[in-house]
PDB file of all heavy atoms in Angstrom:
ATOM      1  N   GLN J  13      96.420  98.772  81.551  1.00 93.00           N
ATOM      2  CA  GLN J  13      95.022  98.264  81.301  1.00 93.00           C
ATOM      3  C   GLN J  13      94.828  97.078  82.357  1.00 93.00           C
ATOM      4  O   GLN J  13      95.476  96.080  82.295  1.00 93.00           O
ATOM      5  CB  GLN J  13      95.006  97.788  79.872  1.00 93.00           C
ATOM      6  CG  GLN J  13      95.276  98.812  78.892  1.00 93.00           C
ATOM      7  CD  GLN J  13      94.211  99.951  78.841  1.00 93.00           C
ATOM      8  OE1 GLN J  13      93.006  99.717  79.084  1.00 93.00           O
ATOM      9  NE2 GLN J  13      94.600 101.117  78.607  1.00 93.00           N
ATOM     10  N   ILE J  14      93.887  97.303  83.209  1.00 94.00           N
ATOM     11  CA  ILE J  14      93.551  96.286  84.298  1.00 94.00           C
ATOM     12  C   ILE J  14      92.163  95.827  84.059  1.00 94.00           C
ATOM     13  O   ILE J  14      91.190  96.710  83.908  1.00 94.00           O
ATOM     14  CB  ILE J  14      93.673  96.854  85.561  1.00 94.00           C
ATOM     15  CG1 ILE J  14      95.169  97.500  85.796  1.00 94.00           C
ATOM     16  CG2 ILE J  14      93.494  95.859  86.696  1.00 94.00           C
ATOM     17  CD1 ILE J  14      95.346  98.365  86.924  1.00 94.00           C
ATOM     18  N   LEU J  15      91.848  94.522  84.136  1.00 97.00           N
ATOM     19  CA  LEU J  15      90.608  94.030  84.032  1.00 97.00           C
ATOM     20  C   LEU J  15      90.305  93.432  85.462  1.00 97.00           C
ATOM     21  O   LEU J  15      90.938  92.523  85.904  1.00 97.00           O
ATOM     22  CB  LEU J  15      90.500  92.789  82.973  1.00 97.00           C
ATOM     23  CG  LEU J  15      89.250  92.008  83.016  1.00 97.00           C
ATOM     24  CD1 LEU J  15      87.979  93.023  82.643  1.00 97.00           C
ATOM     25  CD2 LEU J  15      89.243  90.869  82.017  1.00 97.00           C
ATOM     26  N   LEU J  16      89.261  93.948  85.963  1.00 97.00           N
ATOM     27  CA  LEU J  16      88.761  93.422  87.261  1.00 97.00           C
ATOM     28  C   LEU J  16      87.423  92.615  87.070  1.00 97.00           C
ATOM     29  O   LEU J  16      86.474  93.092  86.530  1.00 97.00           O
ATOM     30  CB  LEU J  16      88.414  94.629  88.227  1.00 97.00           C
ATOM     31  CG  LEU J  16      87.654  94.349  89.509  1.00 97.00           C
ATOM     32  CD1 LEU J  16      88.605  93.478  90.416  1.00 97.00           C
ATOM     33  CD2 LEU J  16      87.313  95.628  90.223  1.00 97.00           C
ATOM     34  N   VAL J  17      87.567  91.330  87.484  1.00 97.00           N
ATOM     35  CA  VAL J  17      86.444  90.506  87.403  1.00 97.00           C
ATOM     36  C   VAL J  17      85.883  90.201  88.753  1.00 97.00           C
ATOM     37  O   VAL J  17      86.419  89.526  89.538  1.00 97.00           O
ATOM     38  CB  VAL J  17      86.839  89.048  86.771  1.00 97.00           C
ATOM     39  CG1 VAL J  17      85.610  88.204  86.520  1.00 97.00           C
ATOM     40  CG2 VAL J  17      87.629  89.287  85.498  1.00 97.00           C
ATOM     41  N   GLU J  18      84.771  91.001  89.055  1.00 97.00           N
ATOM     42  CA  GLU J  18      84.351  90.992  90.429  1.00 97.00           C
ATOM     43  C   GLU J  18      82.800  91.249  90.403  1.00 97.00           C
ATOM     44  O   GLU J  18      82.380  92.234  89.807  1.00 97.00           O
ATOM     45  CB  GLU J  18      85.031  92.173  91.208  1.00 97.00           C
ATOM     46  CG  GLU J  18      84.567  92.460  92.555  1.00 97.00           C
ATOM     47  CD  GLU J  18      84.661  91.327  93.492  1.00 97.00           C
ATOM     48  OE1 GLU J  18      85.750  91.018  93.876  1.00 97.00           O
ATOM     49  OE2 GLU J  18      83.592  90.797  93.856  1.00 97.00           O
ATOM     50  N   ASP J  19      81.931  90.554  91.081  1.00 96.00           N
ATOM     51  CA  ASP J  19      80.537  90.633  91.215  1.00 96.00           C
ATOM     52  C   ASP J  19      80.105  91.454  92.423  1.00 96.00           C
ATOM     53  O   ASP J  19      78.849  91.805  92.474  1.00 96.00           O
ATOM     54  CB  ASP J  19      79.875  89.303  91.044  1.00 96.00           C
ATOM     55  CG  ASP J  19      80.099  88.420  92.327  1.00 96.00           C
ATOM     56  OD1 ASP J  19      81.246  88.425  92.867  1.00 96.00           O
ATOM     57  OD2 ASP J  19      79.148  87.798  92.790  1.00 96.00           O
ATOM     58  N   ASN J  20      80.988  91.761  93.338  1.00 95.00           N
ATOM     59  CA  ASN J  20      80.507  92.543  94.498  1.00 95.00           C
ATOM     60  C   ASN J  20      80.757  94.001  94.351  1.00 95.00           C
ATOM     61  O   ASN J  20      81.916  94.402  94.246  1.00 95.00           O
ATOM     62  CB  ASN J  20      81.308  92.097  95.727  1.00 95.00           C
ATOM     63  CG  ASN J  20      80.907  92.756  96.966  1.00 95.00           C
ATOM     64  OD1 ASN J  20      80.684  93.904  97.027  1.00 95.00           O
ATOM     65  ND2 ASN J  20      80.950  91.967  98.099  1.00 95.00           N
ATOM     66  N   PRO J  21      79.647  94.776  94.190  1.00 96.00           N
ATOM     67  CA  PRO J  21      79.782  96.221  93.872  1.00 96.00           C
ATOM     68  C   PRO J  21      80.584  96.972  94.936  1.00 96.00           C
ATOM     69  O   PRO J  21      81.316  97.875  94.581  1.00 96.00           O
ATOM     70  CB  PRO J  21      78.284  96.770  93.989  1.00 96.00           C
ATOM     71  CG  PRO J  21      77.458  95.536  93.825  1.00 96.00           C
ATOM     72  CD  PRO J  21      78.177  94.373  94.355  1.00 96.00           C
ATOM     73  N   GLY J  22      80.568  96.533  96.210  1.00 93.00           N
ATOM     74  CA  GLY J  22      81.345  97.227  97.284  1.00 93.00           C
ATOM     75  C   GLY J  22      82.730  97.035  96.993  1.00 93.00           C
ATOM     76  O   GLY J  22      83.687  97.923  97.239  1.00 93.00           O
TER      77      GLY J  22
END
Side-chain angles (χ1 to χ4, degrees):
Q13 300 297 324
I14 303 167
L15 176 60
L16 173 61
V17 186
E18 173 62 69
D19 66 319
N20 180 322

